[in-house]
Amino acid sequence: MYSYHCPVLSNPLLAGLNLQPGEHYLDATVGGAGHSRLILESYPDIKLTAIDRDAMAISEASRVLAEYGDRVSFWRGPFSQYDPGLLKFAGIVADLGVSSAQLDRQERGFSFRETAALDMRMDDRQELSAAEIINYYKEQDLAEIFFKYGQERLSRRIAKAIVQKRPLQTTTQLAEIIFQSVPVSYRHGRIHPATRVFQALRIVVNQELEELERFLSLSPNWLKPGGILAIISFHSLEDRLVKHSFRNNTMLEIINKKPIIADTQEQQENPRSRSAKLRFALLKP
């Protein structure tokens, strides 16, 4: 079972979308279809297009949303490459980052909790994987990736240790090398020393920031006048892109200047929500 945890920030998301009967919505990162299901449940005549580049996500969402029949259509691919043609949406949702299911599936290689191949591809059709980056990129390039995309201050030290120990095959091998390469005082902080490096690798493997930048420039054109664009981000690099894109796009009107975050209850019930930030923008009439 390709199971998902509950979707984050569901209540403020639905409220901010101002869902209307008979309208068509786009879930640009359908995942396990948590948000999509809530949108479709709102009114019996709402339609929804669900897209994702992960084949397993599309398969699971198709199963979960089967009861809604032809009210739902699916498209597989990066959201920056989607083309709705003449279709205009009343609202667009993008829940960014890795889903709980992707982290939980050992073979995907997103997590170092268990031994797995260094993969991290959201779309298994692409060639670049984390293994190629770790084993073939120059030490300087690795250090730059870890610093820029993981905000890892010990990036040079970690990159040097990786180059000395490679080739590496598994997630746990990489995590252990990172752990041993940092000072003892750094090993037992709030997060594991490998966390930022794994984030950086995932971002580069999947070109997440480049994809997001293109999506943010294109998606306002897919909205009806008055339509709402809702983005949930999970780290500062994403949130900064969303914030600046909303502010600099003259087509959009920012709805909430400060991001919406999960309340205490949701953070306790769903730890993934603790880093989530939700921003809304409206296409000017």
Side-chain angles (χ1 to χ4, degrees):
M1 176 63 66
Y2 190 52
S3 60
Y4 281 76
H5 296 167
C6 58
V8 302
L9 296 170
S10 295
N11 290 335
L13 176 68
L14 294 177
L17 282 173
N18 188 28
L19 298 170
Q20 299 295 320
E23 292 288 3
H24 199 137
Y25 294 86
L26 172 67
D27 188 340
T29 52
V30 68
H35 288 131
S36 287
R37 176 186 281 277
L38 293 172
I39 291 170
L40 288 162
E41 285 177 349
S42 300
Y43 293 101
D45 57 352
I46 274 182
K47 292 185 177 181
L48 181 126
T49 297
I51 67 178
D52 206 294
R53 57 175 155 176
D54 188 327
M56 295 176 70
I58 290 290
S59 176
E60 173 66 2
S62 299
R63 183 188 67 81
V64 171
L65 302 177
E67 64 184 280
Y68 298 101
D70 61 5
R71 292 172 57 196
V72 188
S73 58
F74 296 91
W75 184 84
R76 183 190 174 195
F79 53 22
S80 70
Q81 295 180 20
Y82 176 66
D83 181 2
L86 298 177
L87 181 61
K88 299 289 186 180
F89 300 103
I92 299 173
V93 177
D95 179 347
L96 306 176
V98 180
S99 73
S100 300
Q102 288 168 327
L103 290 171
D104 292 343
R105 295 283 294 205
Q106 177 183 341
E107 68 271 20
R108 303 300 296 272
F110 288 106
S111 171
F112 50 84
R113 291 196 298 260
E114 298 180 73
T115 300
L118 285 166
D119 193 334
M120 300 193 191
R121 293 173 299 165
M122 292 183 179
D123 187 337
D124 59 10
R125 298 173 296 188
Q126 75 175 47
E127 294 183 5
L128 182 64
S129 69
E132 182 174 339
I133 294 173
I134 286 296
N135 289 314
Y136 297 105
Y137 279 32
K138 294 178 181 178
E139 180 180 324
Q140 181 180 347
D141 294 335
L142 289 177
E144 184 177 344
I145 286 170
F146 302 157
F147 183 77
K148 181 177 180 180
Y149 298 108
Q151 300 174 301
E152 174 53 69
R153 61 185 180 86
L154 298 181
S155 60
R156 293 180 181 177
R157 183 169 182 160
I158 292 170
K160 183 177 182 180
I162 288 171
V163 169
Q164 289 174 344
K165 297 289 185 179
R166 65 190 187 186
L168 305 179
Q169 304 300 327
T170 69
T171 54
T172 47
Q173 275 184 313
L174 176 57
E176 180 61 21
I177 288 169
I178 295 168
F179 185 83
Q180 296 297 336
S181 72
V182 302
V184 173
S185 59
Y186 200 72
R187 295 177 185 174
H188 304 289
R190 186 175 58 86
I191 61 173
H192 190 285
T195 302
R196 295 186 182 92
V197 170
F198 271 66
Q199 173 184 295
L201 285 171
R202 190 202 77 224
I203 289 172
V204 173
V205 166
N206 297 290
Q207 297 185 310
E208 291 179 23
L209 297 183
E210 293 87 351
E211 284 290 313
L212 176 58
E213 193 168 12
R214 287 194 289 267
F215 173 76
L216 289 168
S217 68
L218 291 170
S219 53
N221 298 299
W222 307 341
L223 288 167
K224 290 181 173 183
I228 293 171
L229 179 57
I231 310 287
I232 300 174
S233 61
F234 288 89
H235 56 76
S236 59
L237 298 175
E238 290 175 340
D239 183 58
R240 192 178 304 125
L241 265 180
V242 176
K243 177 182 176 180
H244 291 168
S245 178
F246 282 5
R247 185 178 63 193
N248 296 332
N249 192 323
T250 57
M251 298 169 62
L252 297 176
E253 177 182 326
I254 295 173
I255 295 175
N256 56 313
K257 291 185 178 180
K258 292 186 177 181
I260 297 168
I261 61 173
D263 60 26
T264 302
Q265 181 178 346
E266 181 174 4
Q267 291 187 34
Q268 291 174 345
E269 294 175 352
N270 184 5
R272 182 172 177 258
S273 70
R274 292 172 186 167
S275 57
K277 294 181 177 180
L278 170 60
R279 293 184 184 272
F280 291 103
L282 177 146
L283 183 68
K284 296 176 182 176

